[in-house]
Amino acid sequence: MPLSKEANERVSFARVEAVASSPVEIVMGDVVVRVAGDIEPDHLAKILRAVRKA
C-alpha cells in the first residue's frame, strides 16, 4: 500500500521475510525510521501509522 494513503487506512505488507536482524531504514519525507530487520510486521505497521499521523 503506498504511503500516500490516508493516515487512518490500514498498512499491510504483501510479503515479509526476516532474513537477519540487520537494521532497516525507512525514509518518509523528513523522517527516518530505523528498526531491526526482524521486527514483527504488525509492530512496524503501528510505527509507520504513528509517523504518518505526526
Side-chain angles (χ1 to χ4, degrees):
M1 179 176 289
L3 294 178
S4 61
K5 294 282 186 178
E6 294 297 318
N8 61 352
E9 289 189 38
R10 181 178 168 91
V11 175
S12 60
F13 301 93
R15 181 174 149 193
V16 175
E17 290 184 30
V19 177
S21 63
S22 298
V24 174
E25 186 173 282
I26 301 167
V27 179
M28 298 171 59
D30 60 348
V31 175
V32 178
V33 178
R34 290 184 186 97
V35 296
D38 58 354
I39 189 170
E40 291 292 322
D42 290 338
H43 191 189
L44 178 57
K46 288 177 186 177
I47 293 169
L48 295 178
R49 278 195 296 274
V51 169
R52 292 192 326 194
K53 287 182 183 179

